[in-house]
Amino acid sequence: MEILLVLLAFASVGANAQTVSKIQDPGPSEVDLTLGTLNIGLVNMYCVLPNISCLAESESTSRQTHQPCVTSARVDSLPGFVYFFDLAARLAIERVNNDPSILPGIQVRFRRFSNCGNEWTKQLEGSYIGDSAGYAGSEMVREILEDPAGVVGTVGTEFSRTVTVAAEVLSYYQIPHCSGTAGSPRFSNKYKYPYFWRMFANSEFSGHVHLLLAHWGVRRIAMIRERNDELGFNVGADVLTTLRVKGIQISAKIDISGKLNEDDAVYAKSLIVNTRTHYVFISGQADFTANALYRLGKLNITGRDFVFIGITVPSPYGNPMKGAHLLSIIFVSRSRKLDLTIQNPVFGPDFYNFVEGYVMLAAMPDTTNPQYEQFNKLLHSRIKVNLWSNGSLLSPDFDFVSSYGVDAVYDCTMLMLLGIEQVMKNNPEVDLSMVSKRVLNKQMNFTNFQNLDYNGVLGEPRRLDSKGDVKMPFHFLRYINASVVLIGTSDSSARRFEPSQNYSGILQAGFTSLPPDGFTKEFIFATDWQSTLGQIIIGLTCLGYAFCVLSLVFISRFRKNKILRSASIPELVTIVVGCKLGYASLIFYILPQTPYLCTVQLSLIGLGFSVAISTIICKNLMVAKLFAGFHIKFPLEVTRMHRALNCAIVFMGIVVFVIIHRLRGPPLVFEKYSKNGNYFVCVENTQKGSWFLAYIFTFYYGLLFTGLFVALYKSQRILWDCSNESGAIALIILVSAISYAVLSMLSAHVDELTDFRKCICVWIQTSVVLFSVIGSKAWTVFKYEMQRSKVRSLISQLMTRLADREEQAIKSLARLGEDRSRSFGKSGGAISRRSGGSLAGKKKTRVNSYIDRKGVLMYAVLSKTVSKCVYKYQREKSSKSTWCCGECQLFSVCDRMWFLFQSDEITDPFRILDSLEIKDCGNGCLMIQQDAMYTIWLEFESLEIADQFLKELQRALADLKTAQFKFVRQDSVNVIRSVDM
């Protein structure tokens, strides 16, 4: 069984060493100065160790006022911690100064800067616990910026909450900073901290947690988080986000502010028991973890039925076996957590009974690496602090790497100097004096240090990932009393888990079985498919899809209708597709909120709106271009141009969304609380990306709204009712503006009903677009079909009556055959008997008849010049019609005359009075006007054809009027079946 010992309380750790070669002590520098000196800054808690210069062999700068040469630093004290990390950084600098292949001819020096002030007191040495830097941090940054020697980069060992402000300010002034101890996930945000990087495996940490749970088959876990701690809060938030994305259910999230007390423990127990949770993740500092384990253990939340997982050693401030004591510190290996000594009366002799089985994740180096022991020996040969707090001497086998992780600061310093050297090689024209003035610092963000082909002091590659963190494998350690047992490891990318072959037990007391995963119905307020709100959303989604399907059926059924064809059927289908995308986004409001689903939901809403609105804009601009003028045009180039514009606008929206998604990453999912229960909301990740990203979407949607206003203006020039969509566009603009305002307010004031309200808002907006465009067309087509049916009925009745009269006229002519020559004179004529349907036939026969009956019927088809006329008309108190195409006919019954335009779909009759005016408008156009009753416009291919048709029309009118005047008798009917011009 492989046992790994970690330093706890007063225990020293012995390492199994191997004899290896060799990391040599660099010794004093003997390099000749040829170019000058280069200064880097060492940032540490020097306020607790004012005599650091007395303990160091090299020259340095310190502004501390109290510098005794006798040190009170001990191995297990905070001053000792500061000393060991300062020593590691100095060893790296000495190595560079003695290596002619690194920064040749340049002497590297260091400047010390305290992140906790320059005033030392004995009380401060025993009470400082890494508080927020505040004024001291601001002064430290000012000293770095104004240092006369010119500090090019800094290396730090500080708490996460201490370095937060300094890291941001140093990034602003483009000063690279490498940290060996800051572990908060916030520093992985390279948009905010582009010049901050670290020797810390943080970016994939939450992935390692999920890897362990997946190996165990665990699907539910609770979270206890130290809310007011920088590390505990942010690590917990990162783990929560990752586990939710991976499908792990968070059964309870318990945030504790301050020290966990009895009431907090009772509250945590109630949630764990009521949700029947058996796996708990603790995110906090070491003392917080120890408090949680001990107090919950006292409440019987312990044993084989519960598994606790964490990132810190559960070591309290003081000896946990003796209760209240003022004792020393523990610095825990690669977790980089510092526990300081204060009085703590919480624990007792049963402490380790409740720690038993706790699983800790730690990024630890390979202890079998030969350079591991070699580096420890180098440190032992140079240290000047070798006493423990109890007065005993430091063992020569003490493991500085596993206990303090000083190799991280050594590697930080080496990478900093190697990165500066790389920038200087890339800019040979810049001399060292300009480098000291930070002329090249613009090129020294974290990417400059990502891959310098440097193998760390332990022989392991040190390459930074895209978040400025170093990738390292993780060890999963199970606690047995005061020691730990390796139960498995993971690779640096958190993709593979390897259980330990030497350990057969899993958790408590060698048990080989895990506790049950448990099950509970969470008290979560959600719009899932089982809730009333979720069922309403499903109903609205189905109703919207039904509208879209009916719209497509309608378009397919009446695709040959001139009203739909004038509205452009491809554009109508595209609008329906855009509305379908909008309705499809609604279903994601009832699915579990994850960053991926939030991305899909926002994509569907944005794409659907973009497709529908862009198509409406381009369609109306195209119709206005074609039909807004007096002359009808059918240029293919206009149609192609506007459809290409539509595709470009939609493609622009897709590009904008992809760019923002790539720069910002997926949306964040936050858990919120209300009196009705917990709920989850999707929030745009505005912390990432440049400031202008927020304005890109605003610009794009502003472009769409501007297009709607332009289309509204252009549509008002279209005079046809069925093609003028200005009213629909105005309604869409109004509803879209209201929807945008409502969605913005809902995003700013989130509660448990926010998603449902957003869903209703999206549904209303999508439905308004669909009904404004497709619904209005359906209503127009319905009225057209009703009118067409009515006209067909009237025409049928008229043709029946005309056929009857024609039959009567033929019979009368047969009886009066003897008078035919006298009646027709020289003109002669032929009487042809035809059925009642002959009046609508294409082939006409000349018939000149006189019938001495009550009325006169005459009929002429103007088909000699053109077979069909292109026309539009405007009747009294109505708007202009669409352009139509039909056969022009003239009727005369008794003393009344009509124009009749006959097509396959409709018949348009117009009464002819004596005041009829026929005008030649030029450009192949004629206008027929009958007072205020109606106006007819006719358009022909050329002036010649228009002139020929005008003459044909005038002759036909003259012939009908002459025949009507000559042959009208009281009991006569004169039928002219067709006048062949």
Side-chain angles (χ1 to χ4, degrees), residues 12-13 75-76 84 379-380 383 385-388 390-400 404:
S12 63
V13 180
V75 176
D76 52 349
F84 292 132
L379 290 168
H380 276 282
I383 61 172
V385 175
N386 58 359
L387 291 177
W388 294 87
N390 59 6
S392 60
L393 288 173
L394 180 69
S395 168
D397 296 328
F398 181 77
D399 190 345
F400 283 100
Y404 284 155

Side-chain angles (χ1 to χ4, degrees), residues 675-776:
K675 62 181 180 180
N676 295 322
N678 302 351
Y679 60 95
F680 304 97
V681 294
C682 295
V683 179
E684 283 287 343
N685 190 1
T686 56
Q687 296 179 352
K688 293 185 178 181
S690 303
W691 60 270
F692 62 85
L693 292 180
Y695 299 97
I696 295 181
F697 263 134
T698 303
F699 171 78
Y700 179 71
Y701 287 122
L703 182 66
L704 291 180
F705 271 94
T706 303
L708 283 174
F709 280 105
V710 173
L712 175 63
Y713 172 75
K714 293 288 186 179
S715 296
Q716 292 177 346
R717 299 173 57 191
I718 302 175
L719 302 179
W720 314 341
D721 286 341
C722 61
S723 295
N724 190 327
E725 296 182 352
S726 57
I729 296 175
L731 179 61
I732 291 172
I733 293 175
L734 177 63
V735 173
S736 298
I738 294 175
S739 298
Y740 180 81
V742 171
L743 290 174
S744 300
M745 289 189 294
L746 290 176
S747 299
H749 303 86
V750 178
D751 58 22
E752 63 269 25
L753 293 176
T754 296
D755 279 353
F756 180 74
R757 294 177 181 134
K758 286 183 177 180
C759 175
I760 297 298
C761 189
V762 172
W763 188 88
I764 292 176
Q765 179 179 349
T766 305
S767 299
V768 167
V769 171
L770 183 64
F771 281 96
S772 297
V773 179
I774 308 299
S776 62

Side-chain angles (χ1 to χ4, degrees), residues 957-970:
L957 286 173
D959 290 344
L960 288 178
K961 289 181 179 180
T962 300
Q964 191 179 48
F965 174 78
K966 184 177 181 180
F967 297 111
V968 170
R969 294 185 178 180
Q970 182 67 28

